[in-house]
Amino acid sequence: MTDIYNCADPAQRARGIASAAGALKSGRLVVMPTDTVYGLGADAFDSAAVGALLSAKGRARDMPVGVLVGSWHTIEGLVYVMPEGARELIRAFWPGALSLVVEQAPSLHWDLGDARGTVMLRMPLHPVAIELLREVGPMAVSSANISGRPPAVDVDEARSQLGDLVEVYLDAGPSAQQAASTIVDLTGATPRILRAGPVSAERIGEVLGLDPASLTA
């Protein structure tokens, strides 16, 4: 049975976080608020749960799932080598609407799709998301929508698309940004923006000391 929790109510928020944590640890899916759009989440280290997430979205393995973390320090164990510019971007924009694609640590036993040894990481700027992430650890999270349809920016949109495929919905009202995060690929010789979003090329270029045009070339 699907449960919806109103996180504006402290008692419901506490019950919702506990229920979502239990669902994730049992291999089930949850919908959570973030600062960008609502996310569909699973335990990042449960391959069957990640497979269920991809299936729920109707998404192929060639579009791997990103990972949300609850603190800056978490990524140290997830990254093979911290690439140049990563720490500067993290200090400037995390928690926030910037996702970083990096080479993952080879020791990680997870299957996020056909990521070819990379992982996309982000720390969201949302108290409910952070509370859940600090309870359960890194989560595989994609936008809460059917692939090809607009990302859900509130819990009603998410539920209308995903329905009973999700065990727990955490409702924290409309998303602040209402746009998916900016994605920067740090695995090549130079940083490259893969998806434009709330964090502009100009702001990223300023932090990295680079011409913004070079980030989108």
Side-chain angles (χ1 to χ4, degrees):
M1 186 178 89
T2 293
D3 293 318
I4 303 175
Y5 295 90
N6 177 8
C7 294
D9 177 276
Q12 281 203 45
R13 172 171 164 165
R15 290 198 301 272
I17 295 291
S19 181
L24 291 164
K25 291 171 184 176
S26 298
R28 296 189 291 274
L29 304 179
V30 306
V31 161
M32 61 194 287
T34 80
D35 49 326
T36 54
V37 296
Y38 270 71
L40 174 65
D43 179 348
F45 295 97
D46 185 332
S47 297
V50 176
L53 185 159
L54 290 169
S55 177
K57 286 179 61 76
R59 181 165 165 170
R61 285 180 52 81
D62 63 351
M63 297 179 68
V65 185
V67 171
L68 295 188
V69 297
S71 76
W72 297 335
H73 308 296
T74 304
I75 69 167
E76 298 290 347
L78 305 179
V79 176
Y80 176 53
V81 174
M82 193 69 77
E84 185 176 352
R87 286 189 172 87
E88 289 78 7
L89 291 172
I90 288 168
R91 281 195 291 267
F93 301 115
W94 280 19
L98 182 70
S99 297
L100 301 177
V101 178
V102 296
E103 291 185 30
Q104 72 170 48
S107 58
L108 290 173
H109 298 292
W110 61 17
D111 182 1
L112 302 169
D114 296 332
R116 298 185 175 89
T118 68
V119 62
M120 184 173 73
L121 299 172
R122 185 168 86 87
M123 181 181 176
L125 181 58
H126 197 289
V128 173
I130 292 296
E131 188 175 345
L132 180 59
L133 288 161
R134 289 181 176 171
E135 178 71 23
V136 301
M139 287 176 58
V141 179
S142 182
S143 55
N145 61 284
I146 302 298
S147 190
R149 294 176 62 181
V153 297
D154 61 41
V155 83
D156 290 336
E157 286 185 20
R159 192 159 196 277
S160 72
Q161 295 193 50
L162 299 168
D164 293 338
L165 296 173
V166 173
E167 180 92 358
V168 174
Y169 288 84
L170 299 177
D171 181 4
S175 302
Q177 298 281 0
Q178 302 206 354
S181 65
T182 303
I183 300 175
V184 176
D185 183 357
L186 296 176
T187 63
T190 58
R192 187 163 59 97
I193 294 177
L194 301 183
R195 180 176 72 196
V199 180
S200 69
E202 288 72 22
R203 293 176 67 198
I204 293 167
E206 183 179 351
V207 169
L208 296 177
L210 297 172
D211 179 354
S214 71
L215 299 169
T216 56

